[in-house]
Amino acid sequence: HDIIGSEVFCNGMKYGSVVDVYSLNANDIYVIKKIDNEEILIPAVHEFIESIDVHKKVLVLKPGKDSYEEDED
């Protein structure tokens, strides 16, 4: 996948990088290692992804960082 190694930004700040991609039937899932080294899974769908530039290796998440945090409950 060309997206692996891309820098990830959210709300104008570096959020992490794409370290893997899971190809599922419905859509791909991006494995993002955040700057604090926590890994999260983000579906490769328009609800979460604002833009992707595979040539510049940049992925921008839609604004709203709170929606990307794990729910501990």
Side-chain angles (χ1 to χ4, degrees):
H1 289 277
D2 292 337
I3 196 74
I4 294 175
S6 295
E7 290 187 318
V8 179
F9 293 87
C10 183
N11 295 326
M13 299 177 62
K14 183 162 181 182
Y15 190 74
S17 60
V18 178
V19 295
D20 203 355
V21 176
Y22 300 146
S23 294
L24 305 177
N25 288 338
N27 53 267
D28 287 349
I29 302 289
Y30 298 142
V31 181
I32 297 173
K33 182 176 268 190
K34 295 172 23 181
I35 55 175
D36 65 3
N37 285 325
E38 178 186 354
E39 287 188 353
I40 62 168
L41 305 176
I42 299 289
V45 294
H46 293 291
E47 289 85 34
F48 295 100
I49 308 299
E50 184 170 302
S51 65
I52 299 174
D53 187 326
V54 293
H55 300 294
K56 293 181 181 178
K57 290 213 167 265
V58 173
L59 182 149
V60 179
L61 298 174
K62 289 200 173 175
K65 181 178 178 225
D66 293 340
S67 62
Y68 305 113
E69 299 300 318
E70 295 285 331
D71 185 6
E72 297 294 328
D73 295 334

